[in-house]
Amino acid sequence: MKRHDVDVLSLVFGLLFVGVSLMWPLVHYDVLGLPGLEVAAPVLLVSVGLAGLMASLGRLRRDR
Amino acid sequence: MVARELCGHDRGMNDAPTTPLSNPGAAPPPPPRLGAELHGLRRSQSDRVVAGVLGGLGRRLGVDPLLLRIATVVLAVFGGIGIMLYAAGWLLLPAEDEDGSVAEQALGRHDSGGPRTASIALAAALALVLLGSAGAVIGGSWDGVVLLVLAGCGIVLLLRRDDPRAGADLEDAVTPNTSGAFTDYPGFPDYPGFPGYRGSASPVTSRADDPATAGAATATPDDAADAESPVSADAPEVVPDAAADDPQSTTAQEPSAARETVPGERWWAQDLQQDDPQAWATRNEDWDPFAGSEPPPAPAATRRQRSALGPLTVSAAAVTLGALAVADALGASIPHVIYHAAPLAVVGLGLLVGAWWGRSRGLIILGVLLSLVLVQAFVTDNTDFDESYSLTPTTQAVIPAGTQEHGAGSVRYDLSQVAFADGDTASLAVDQGVGELVVIVPPDVDVTVNADLGVGEIQTFDDTSGGMGQERRITDLGTDGRGGGDLRLDLDLGIGSIEVRREAP
């Protein structure tokens, strides 16, 4: 498989799914707890969004 | 704007059965018999938010995609039907620039089915989704619905593989342009790897969104005739006729010269392509994520590349599940949630790989479905909807301090037996996810209610209202007016009903 420019959609959803799949077991084993989830979910979304933003900006810069 | 898009479409439909222009000797494609309206339904690559399902549908139906998007979001919020419908559309509708849907590619059927089978498969899948969603609303179970929908999609696709038309399509040297309605996409001819994709035929048709050519979309009678009559040796005459019908068409202005210089090519497409190279390049860049960086690969390589990562990931997820099951059988205790989280993690990793190598966007659908199942599994694992919690304190000291957390269920705080004197203050804070929350207060105490409700009904004393995003801040003095102590209630509920009432005196 040839390496291509970053596909932001795949990146964002990949990070999101990995984050969600890590989060639920943590809640299950009471590492996070429900209050922890209230913090962890926004943190996850913000980090995923920032990653997507940075990837998009990087692409824009390379395209120029 | 909608009308213009629709016009572009009609033009596309008009073109659909006339492809053998460039190869008049090829066997004519079978005519579309049913679902002429649906044939050529494609995911739009230009007008898209997620995967272009609604953009393509709106274009085909002549409806502003924004309306469809709003409807889908509303349906997604209430019961999740919108998500399922969208996922089904993503799975079963090919993109404009592809000859097979995501699901077909995953199943390894690269030749495109006829438009008739595409529309039938789509209709059947949508019917299944609707039935499943209805079942979800009635039964309240997500697991079953997801499985039902997946099973339905699989059956439809497998049936399509056995369709006799598949063989006929394969024999044609020239693809019978089943994607005719959208081959007129602006960025189309420059798409890497696309030339040659349809054999020797020029992939270029016309530009749907060019205002000049939009006028060329002519009368519906033409379309109807084209769609219903078998395409035969007279097909090459159809396009020149259609163009000649319309004086506005740019193609009508210099047709013969172009036809002579490019024999066998589509003369009108040629001069259209040349009219604005800058716009072509820009559009192309906008919608094709890899246009700038990827050298045009061989068509076969593109397909292999696309199908490699998806099946690889799905297989890895299956192996992971199997390994978990084996570990479970050997004595390790593996909770229910892990069974859902592990494949989701594998799918997520597959997508991350696909961000740089290969393509795996189809995995997003799988990931969304797995996420839904995971959330559902988590909720059923951790909460019991039949469980009810009830607390009846008898003194102010027993009223729990701090915010009381409840997941789901029926929760009841009966404070009616707590004695309040003038000047006493107490407070109760409850944070509940789903269910029924009842607080009963003594008859005389002055009550300040500070309630937040996501969706549902809220009743404080004599005041009832329902809906979404409810906030209520009230003070009720009780039967004796001011006096008799103060009680503050902070109630926060996601979905359900909140009721605050006084003990009947």
Side-chain angles (χ1 to χ4, degrees):
Chain A
M1 279 180 279
K2 219 172 268 178
R3 188 187 163 115
H4 53 68
D5 204 356
V6 60
D7 180 14
V8 180
L9 192 70
S10 295
L11 176 73
V12 165
F13 275 94
L15 286 175
L16 189 68
F17 292 148
V18 169
V20 168
S21 63
L22 288 178
M23 202 179 280
W24 287 117
L26 287 181
V27 174
H28 183 82
Y29 288 115
D30 275 339
V31 182
L32 274 177
L34 281 180
L37 190 65
E38 283 176 8
V39 179
V43 166
L44 174 71
L45 285 175
V46 167
S47 353
V48 167
L50 283 179
L53 268 179
M54 283 165 59
S56 307
L57 290 177
R59 274 199 52 193
L60 278 179
R61 201 174 303 144
R62 274 194 300 281
D63 287 351
R64 209 167 283 150
Chain B
M1 178 170 167
V2 170
R4 215 187 73 193
E5 282 178 3
L6 187 62
C7 282
H9 256 310
D10 288 342
R11 173 62 175 267
M13 271 183 72
N14 203 4
D15 294 340
T18 65
T19 313
L21 257 185
S22 56
N23 190 356
R33 275 162 290 179
L34 286 172
E37 285 297 317
L38 281 174
H39 102 259
L41 195 54
R42 287 285 188 280
R43 287 190 283 115
S44 172
Q45 295 291 306
S46 53
D47 182 12
R48 68 179 195 181
V49 174
V50 179
V53 171
L54 299 176
L57 191 64
R59 251 177 120 183
R60 169 55 74 191
L61 297 177
V63 178
D64 190 339
L66 183 63
L67 295 176
L68 299 175
R69 286 183 184 122
I70 292 171
T72 305
V73 169
V74 168
L75 284 174
V77 169
F78 293 100
I81 302 170
I83 297 173
M84 306 296 283
L85 285 171
Y86 194 92
W90 194 343
L91 264 178
L92 297 169
L93 292 183
E96 281 169 359
D97 55 331
E98 290 169 7
D99 63 349
S101 64
V102 172
E104 281 172 346
Q105 288 177 13
L107 282 176
R109 220 205 91 185
H110 297 312
D111 58 298
S112 56
R116 190 175 60 86
T117 51
S119 54
I120 289 177
L122 182 70
L126 291 185
L128 268 173
V129 171
L130 281 176
L131 278 177
S133 309
V137 172
I138 297 164
S141 161
W142 267 106
D143 270 340
V145 181
V146 171
L147 291 175
L148 184 71
V149 169
L150 286 177
C153 293
I155 290 170
V156 165
L157 286 161
L158 287 174
L159 285 176
R160 286 192 62 182
R161 300 185 79 179
D162 294 337
D163 194 281
R165 287 173 52 88
D169 289 349
L170 275 175
E171 288 161 18
D172 285 345
V174 178
T175 309
N177 196 6
T178 51
S179 58
F182 273 95
T183 51
D184 53 2
Y185 182 72
F188 191 80
D190 293 335
Y191 180 63
F194 214 89
Y197 190 72
R198 297 188 177 280
S200 60
S202 162
V204 185
T205 58
S206 73
R207 290 175 53 188
D209 59 352
D210 186 328
T213 54
T218 46
T220 39
D222 272 358
D223 297 335
D226 287 349
E228 282 159 19
S229 69
V231 180
S232 55
D234 61 346
E237 295 167 16
V238 175
V239 167
D241 282 351
D245 282 348
D246 192 335
Q248 288 178 6
S249 168
T250 55
T251 64
Q253 291 163 11
E254 40 177 352
S256 52
R259 205 182 332 200
E260 281 164 19
T261 50
V262 194
E265 291 274 1
R266 295 185 183 192
W267 44 272
W268 40 274
Q270 284 295 312
D271 61 39
L272 279 177
Q273 191 181 0
Q274 289 156 8
D275 69 347
D276 190 359
Q278 186 57 47
W280 283 76
T282 318
R283 288 205 192 97
N284 197 31
E285 216 168 272
D286 281 350
W287 69 273
D288 182 8
F290 311 125
S293 61
E294 217 175 41
T302 307
R303 286 194 196 126
R304 221 176 295 125
Q305 190 180 54
R306 183 164 300 186
S307 57
L309 187 55
L312 205 71
T313 310
V314 173
S315 311
V319 169
T320 312
L321 267 184
L324 282 175
V326 167
D328 212 351
L330 292 179
S333 167
I334 294 175
H336 194 195
V337 168
I338 299 298
Y339 275 101
H340 296 289
L344 182 61
V346 173
V347 167
L349 290 174
L351 272 168
L352 285 182
V353 171
W356 284 280
W357 292 278
R359 290 199 68 175
S360 57
R361 284 186 175 179
L363 290 172
I364 294 174
I365 310 160
L366 190 59
V368 168
L369 291 176
L370 282 172
S371 303
L372 292 175
V373 175
L374 177 63
V375 170
Q376 198 268 334
F378 180 81
V379 170
T380 49
D381 261 16
N382 287 271
T383 54
D384 186 347
F385 281 94
D386 293 331
E387 189 184 42
S388 58
Y389 175 87
S390 181
L391 183 69
T392 310
T394 49
T395 64
Q396 288 178 31
V398 190
I399 295 176
T403 302
Q404 304 300 299
E405 304 268 356
H406 297 282
S410 176
V411 176
R412 179 186 172 101
Y413 286 90
D414 185 351
L415 309 180
S416 59
Q417 294 171 35
V418 180
F420 279 89
D422 283 357
D424 286 351
T425 58
S427 68
L428 172 69
V430 182
D431 190 350
Q432 185 179 348
V434 181
E436 183 188 32
L437 173 59
V438 179
V439 180
I440 303 170
V441 298
D444 295 335
V445 72
D446 299 346
V447 180
T448 302
V449 180
N450 183 2
D452 283 300
L453 175 63
V455 181
E457 189 184 72
I458 184 164
Q459 178 181 4
T460 49
F461 307 108
D462 297 329
D463 188 4
T464 306
S465 62
M468 294 177 68
Q470 308 249 338
E471 281 184 29
R472 187 167 294 183
R473 318 258 176 272
I474 61 143
T475 302
D476 187 275
L477 301 177
T479 51
D480 64 342
R482 188 161 292 280
D486 287 308
L487 175 63
R488 180 182 170 84
L489 300 175
D490 287 301
L491 311 176
D492 194 338
L493 177 65
I495 303 171
S497 68
I498 295 179
E499 181 183 357
V500 180
R501 68 167 190 260
R502 292 194 184 272
E503 174 70 2

